[in-house]
Amino acid sequence: MVYDDGTGTPIYVPLTGRRPAPEGLPEPTEATYEAIRRVAADHPDWGPRRIFAELRITRHDIPLDVVEMVAANLKSALRGRERSDP
């Protein structure tokens, strides 16, 4: 990624991919997991940020990091199920 600071010299910042999960991330409760799963099932093409925005309408207790973690777990579980299907 290239930033321009206005001096004419571009600043190169290497992209490292996904950021690591923060330390001490709370384990989602069953109700939290179910709320995220429900929105993800209703809108399979949405990513974690859009799911988070939808949940913010009705719930304000779910952090984005938790939504990202649960969405990644759901996606990997779905991929594993697709591989095991004949």
Side-chain angles (χ1 to χ4, degrees), residues 1-15:
M1 179 175 278
V2 178
Y3 292 101
D4 185 2
D5 63 355
T7 62
T9 306
I11 302 169
Y12 294 94
V13 179
L15 296 176

Side-chain angles (χ1 to χ4, degrees), residues 24-41:
L25 190 63
E27 189 66 30
T29 63
E30 188 62 37
T32 300
Y33 188 84
E34 183 60 28
I36 296 168
R37 189 203 59 76
R38 192 176 322 114
V39 173

